[in-house]
């Protein structure tokens, strides 16, 4: 997959669990897990805004573009 | 509530149609079998008098009955697939790849039925020319052909709808 979601690393850096983030951005844990495991097909701006707000990061910190083979 | 009632009524109607379709098939099969065993009785049942050339028309009538029997499984395909689509609407998941496939299958079956109708109409008119009055709707059914086209388009719409639903499900 070309777009890599770096949610796991951001959570580790901030010592926050996925469950805690799910509660703070008012999202279900299964949905957030889909994002974390890179199985999501698309992401709403509202979700991106909420995650960046709680984790105090920029969209570029959460999402990374990798070319195939990188 | 009204939505559910309509679907329930449709579901029951389709189940009845499936049974009636088989009964109709059995009836045509019986008529075909009888036509071989009791020719004079068949003419009386069809209320056809001693018309000149009626014997020659017999083969044509048997062909129509045989084609009618072929139409029975096609009718079953239409009703049974439609029933499954209705059931999927009731469970709240109509936009699936299975339903798109079912609609395409119904379209092919309906196309088959339309072609059968054309052949039957051609045979009936040939039989009628021999002096035996047969009324099996020889005119061109524009609605039927339009339904075939609509079903093929609808199948594609369902496939697109399925893709959109899958995208929505993967959106977080």
């Amino acid at each position: 997959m070309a777009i890599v979601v770096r949610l796991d690393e951001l959570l580790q850096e901030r010592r926050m669990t996925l469950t805690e983030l799910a509660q703070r951005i008012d999202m279900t844990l299964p949905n957030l897990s889909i994002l974390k495991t890179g199985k999501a097909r698309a992401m709403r701006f509202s979700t991106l805004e909420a995650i960046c707000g709680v984790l105090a990061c920029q969209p570029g910190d959460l999402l990374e573009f990798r070319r195939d083979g990188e | 509530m009204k939505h559910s009632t309509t679907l329930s009524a449709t579901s029951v109607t389709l189940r009845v149609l499936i049974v009636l379709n088989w009964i109709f098939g059995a009836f045509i099969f019986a008529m075909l079998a009888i036509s071989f065993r009791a020719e004079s009785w068949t003419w009386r049942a069809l209320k056809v008098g001693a018309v000149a050339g009626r014997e020659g028309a017999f083969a044509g009538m048997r062909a129509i009955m045989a084609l009618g029997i072929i139409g029975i499984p096609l009718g079953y395909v239409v009703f049974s697939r439609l029933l499954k689509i209705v059931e999927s609407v009731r469970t709240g998941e109509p936009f699936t790849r299975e339903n798109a496939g079912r609609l395409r299958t119904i379209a092919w079956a309906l196309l088959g039925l339309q072609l059968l109708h054309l052949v039957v109409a051609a045979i009936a008119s040939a039989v009628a020319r021999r002096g035996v009055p047969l009324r099996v709707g020889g005119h061109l059914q524009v609605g039927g052909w339009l339904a075939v086209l609509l079903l093929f388009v609808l199948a594609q719409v369902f496939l697109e709808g399925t893709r959109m639903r899958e995208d929505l499900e993967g959106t977080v």
Side-chain angles (χ1 to χ4, degrees):
Chain A
M1 191 177 171
I3 299 290
V4 178
V5 181
R6 300 179 59 242
L7 188 59
D8 221 8
E9 294 159 49
L10 284 175
L11 285 172
Q12 271 181 8
E13 285 168 17
R14 283 151 182 81
R15 298 181 188 282
M16 194 186 285
T17 63
L18 198 67
T19 312
E20 195 183 339
L21 178 65
Q23 284 169 350
R24 288 183 66 177
I25 64 170
D26 196 24
M27 196 174 175
T28 63
L29 190 59
N31 259 355
L32 205 56
S33 295
I34 288 171
L35 182 67
K36 196 191 87 164
T37 51
K39 288 175 185 164
R41 282 171 172 254
M43 192 178 181
R44 291 187 184 91
F45 275 135
S46 57
T47 308
L48 189 60
E49 193 181 324
I51 293 173
C52 287
V54 171
L55 299 181
C57 66
Q58 290 299 315
D61 300 326
L62 182 67
L63 304 172
E64 186 188 337
F65 173 69
R66 279 187 204 161
R67 292 187 192 282
D68 288 337
E70 275 183 35
Chain B
M1 187 68 184
K2 195 183 172 186
H3 182 65
S4 162
T5 312
T6 312
L7 287 176
S8 299
T10 310
S11 180
V12 171
T13 307
L14 284 169
R15 283 173 207 276
V16 170
L17 283 172
I18 286 172
V19 174
L20 286 177
N21 184 52
W22 287 124
I23 291 172
F24 188 57
F27 175 74
I28 299 174
F29 188 79
M31 282 292 290
L32 185 61
I34 288 168
S35 80
F36 282 102
R37 290 203 163 252
E39 204 165 306
S40 59
W41 182 86
T42 308
W43 287 123
R44 276 202 305 279
L46 292 171
K47 290 174 184 164
V48 175
V51 184
R54 75 174 191 181
E55 302 304 325
F58 222 62
M61 288 176 65
R62 281 180 182 139
I64 289 174
M65 286 189 259
L67 289 170
I69 292 169
I70 294 171
I72 299 302
L74 290 175
Y76 174 75
V77 166
V78 172
F79 296 138
S80 63
R81 301 303 190 281
L82 201 54
L83 184 62
K84 284 193 172 169
I85 291 172
V86 169
E87 294 300 324
S88 74
V89 175
R90 289 175 79 179
T91 54
E93 282 183 19
F95 287 108
T96 59
R97 285 176 195 278
E98 287 79 14
N99 274 354
R102 280 172 191 143
L103 278 170
R104 207 176 299 109
T105 307
I106 291 173
W108 281 114
L110 216 54
L111 181 66
L113 285 169
Q114 286 297 110
L115 291 172
L116 275 182
H117 182 263
L118 276 185
V119 179
V120 165
I123 297 171
S125 88
V127 168
R129 273 199 298 274
R130 287 171 179 266
V132 179
L134 261 187
R135 288 185 208 95
V136 286
H139 59 281
L140 189 71
Q141 290 180 318
V142 180
W145 291 103
L146 200 63
V148 172
L149 283 178
L150 278 172
L151 279 164
F152 276 119
V153 172
L154 202 58
Q156 202 56 37
V157 168
F158 260 66
L159 205 59
E160 283 299 315
T162 304
R163 282 196 199 113
M164 286 169 75
R165 187 183 60 82
E166 283 171 356
D167 270 351
L168 197 65
E169 277 178 359
T171 303
V172 290

